Amino acid sequence: MTTSISGNKAVAGGPSSRLSELGIVLPAPPTPLGAYVESSDAGNLLFLSGTLPVMNRKLAISGRLGENLSVKEGQEAARIAALNALAVAKEHLGDLDSIKKLIKLTVLIATTEQFADHAPVADGASDLFVKIFGPEAGHVRLVYGVQSLPIGAPVIVDVIFEIEPVRQSTSKPHQE
């Protein structure tokens, strides 16, 4: 059994084997909605554009928390968006096992003014990353509510991963 370093402790297997153990199959990576790239690396960091809860090129869950979506639906949207982030990372790196850990997670949530359960919604993404990278790796997180998000999405997941250094930047526009 191989081990990969996550934070200061070894986790059995790497992210790819953890996904397999959990029975998770990554979706096809999403394509940009505008004039930007989905991923860019610098040194040992991989920055991803915000990912939405899309499946098969369509929004899987739409709406606003506190209006027509429950916390549970928000958690599922955050989980789907996190899976899309992993799919983008895999496409960029060729393999998830060069990811050392999740450094920072930012979750934007489309909410009503009165909605206050931001943290449990963001846990939909955090819990997935903890299952993959281990609880000891930890990650910092910023969560906030916004008035609206692109194409009616309820959440956007924005991540920064620590990776094995890439020889040269592999950022490039996505081509279909």
Side-chain angles (χ1 to χ4, degrees):
M1 177 180 280
T2 61
T3 60
S4 67
I5 303 300
S6 290
N8 295 326
K9 302 196 179 195
V11 173
S16 295
S17 63
R18 285 295 302 140
L19 283 171
S20 182
E21 288 170 21
L22 295 167
I24 297 172
V25 176
L26 293 179
T31 55
L33 297 175
Y36 61 91
V37 295
E38 289 288 339
S39 56
S40 181
D41 59 77
N44 66 337
L45 297 178
L46 177 61
F47 298 85
L48 301 186
S49 294
T51 53
L52 304 173
V54 294
M55 294 174 72
N56 301 318
R57 309 240 182 262
K58 290 189 252 180
L59 207 52
I61 299 171
S62 62
R64 179 188 305 268
L65 279 291
E67 184 176 279
N68 61 346
L69 291 179
S70 67
V71 168
K72 185 173 177 113
E73 290 167 314
Q75 289 171 332
E76 181 60 15
R79 182 182 179 281
I80 293 167
L83 287 169
N84 283 323
L86 290 167
V88 169
K90 181 177 180 181
E91 180 178 62
H92 184 96
L93 299 167
D95 174 323
L96 289 177
D97 292 333
S98 59
I99 298 176
K100 290 182 172 185
K101 69 181 274 185
L102 173 63
I103 299 289
K104 184 172 184 180
L105 170 64
T106 302
V107 181
L108 289 76
I109 307 168
T111 70
T112 61
E113 202 174 309
Q114 296 76 26
F115 186 79
D117 289 326
H118 299 72
V121 170
D123 283 343
S126 285
D127 291 346
L128 176 71
F129 288 128
V130 167
K131 286 178 184 173
I132 293 166
F133 297 106
E136 57 283 330
H139 61 269
V140 296
R141 184 171 90 176
L142 172 64
V143 180
Y144 53 96
V146 297
Q147 182 65 31
S148 69
L149 292 170
I151 66 171
V155 299
I156 291 180
V157 167
D158 175 35
V159 300
I160 301 170
F161 289 113
E162 179 184 7
I163 60 172
E164 296 293 334
V166 178
R167 289 189 199 274
Q168 63 183 29
S169 178
T170 54
S171 304
K172 57 185 178 267
H174 181 81
Q175 296 181 358
E176 303 226 4

